[in-house]
Amino acid sequence: FKCMVSILSKNRTKVSVENVVASATLSQTIDLLSVAKAYPDIEYRPKQFPGLVFRIKKPKTATLIFHSGKMVCTGAKSEKEARKAIDNVLKDLKRKGILIISKPTIKIQNIVASASLGGRIDLERSAYSLGRTMYEPEQFPGLIYRMDEPKVVILIFASGKLVCTGAKKEQEVYDAVYQLQERLDKEELIYYE
């Protein structure tokens, strides 16, 4: 992981994980009414949405909690942070007397990252060269590139900025960005100023 980061930085590439979405499943139900009573500032409107929103400051995340014992955590900046946030929510619930008897099964669902390649990209030529792309500049200013391995979607902008989504591990983000930059360099689709 560190090796890949240093390789990327030599090529002027900056990658930043923006959001990690993780799901957690408890093999038990959760009494949402008791949670709402224990935390007056919790967002819980059962007529509008079946779950409640549990926000914490460290790490700054929001976790949706459902009666079924399923949870969805968003806002973390790493896989480790997402796992820690779910653990912190469960510890907090236990401290307030909410019955939590099972350990969560945590799964990373999606990682969204941004990157800057440090050069301008010819989107018109890239649309033909890369394959598995969609580029309609009248509709959206970026090129949508579906990468097979790792299986991610990358939004590519002429400025050299990217948004990578669909990764399940942070390493997949770095691998995808590195592979894309290598290919853009090789096919002379990126111009460094």
Side-chain angles (χ1 to χ4, degrees), residues 69-145:
K70 295 199 183 299
M71 304 164 72
V72 178
C73 176
T74 63
K77 300 293 185 191
S78 69
E79 292 174 63
K80 185 178 178 181
E81 207 175 84
R83 292 177 198 284
K84 183 177 173 145
I86 291 167
D87 286 342
N88 287 354
V89 166
L90 293 174
K91 283 178 192 166
D92 208 346
L93 291 173
K94 285 179 188 175
R95 266 197 302 274
K96 289 278 190 161
I98 307 300
L99 187 63
I100 305 292
I101 51 174
S102 66
K103 275 192 156 295
T105 302
I106 300 172
K107 186 175 178 190
I108 302 300
Q109 299 295 337
N110 185 24
I111 298 175
V112 178
S114 62
S116 180
L117 300 183
R120 298 208 49 83
I121 299 170
D122 185 332
L123 295 183
E124 196 74 41
R125 285 183 45 227
S126 296
Y128 293 104
S129 285
L130 295 174
R132 293 194 51 133
T133 62
M134 193 164 76
Y135 182 52
E136 295 177 24
E138 317 79 44
Q139 303 289 319
F140 181 69
L143 170 85
I144 301 168
Y145 173 45

Side-chain angles (χ1 to χ4, degrees), residues 41-192:
D41 55 341
I42 285 265
E43 292 174 41
Y44 183 50
R45 296 180 195 94
K47 289 181 180 167
Q48 294 168 349
F49 185 72
L52 61 78
V53 182
F54 195 105
R55 296 179 196 283
I56 60 173
K57 289 189 170 88
K58 283 196 173 187
K60 190 175 184 210
T61 56
T63 301
L64 300 175
I65 304 174
F66 299 92
H67 173 72
S68 64
K70 295 199 183 299
M71 304 164 72
V72 178
C73 176
T74 63
K77 300 293 185 191
S78 69
E79 292 174 63
K80 185 178 178 181
E81 207 175 84
R83 292 177 198 284
K84 183 177 173 145
I86 291 167
D87 286 342
N88 287 354
V89 166
L90 293 174
K91 283 178 192 166
D92 208 346
L93 291 173
K94 285 179 188 175
R95 266 197 302 274
K96 289 278 190 161
I98 307 300
L99 187 63
I100 305 292
I101 51 174
S102 66
K103 275 192 156 295
T105 302
I106 300 172
K107 186 175 178 190
I108 302 300
Q109 299 295 337
N110 185 24
I111 298 175
V112 178
S114 62
S116 180
L117 300 183
R120 298 208 49 83
I121 299 170
D122 185 332
L123 295 183
E124 196 74 41
R125 285 183 45 227
S126 296
Y128 293 104
S129 285
L130 295 174
R132 293 194 51 133
T133 62
M134 193 164 76
Y135 182 52
E136 295 177 24
E138 317 79 44
Q139 303 289 319
F140 181 69
L143 170 85
I144 301 168
Y145 173 45
R146 297 182 187 287
M147 190 177 270
D148 285 326
E149 192 53 46
K151 192 170 174 55
V152 298
V153 175
I154 303 177
L155 304 178
I156 306 169
F157 298 93
S159 64
K161 299 211 183 299
L162 312 172
V163 175
C164 178
T165 185
K168 305 283 190 206
K169 293 178 171 28
E170 287 174 64
Q171 188 60 48
E172 290 175 354
V173 171
Y174 292 100
D175 291 347
V177 171
Y178 179 70
Q179 285 175 35
L180 176 62
Q181 183 162 25
E182 213 172 45
R183 187 151 174 212
L184 293 171
D185 281 337
K186 184 179 166 192
E187 297 181 28
E188 297 180 347
L189 299 168
I190 187 167
Y191 310 97
Y192 300 100

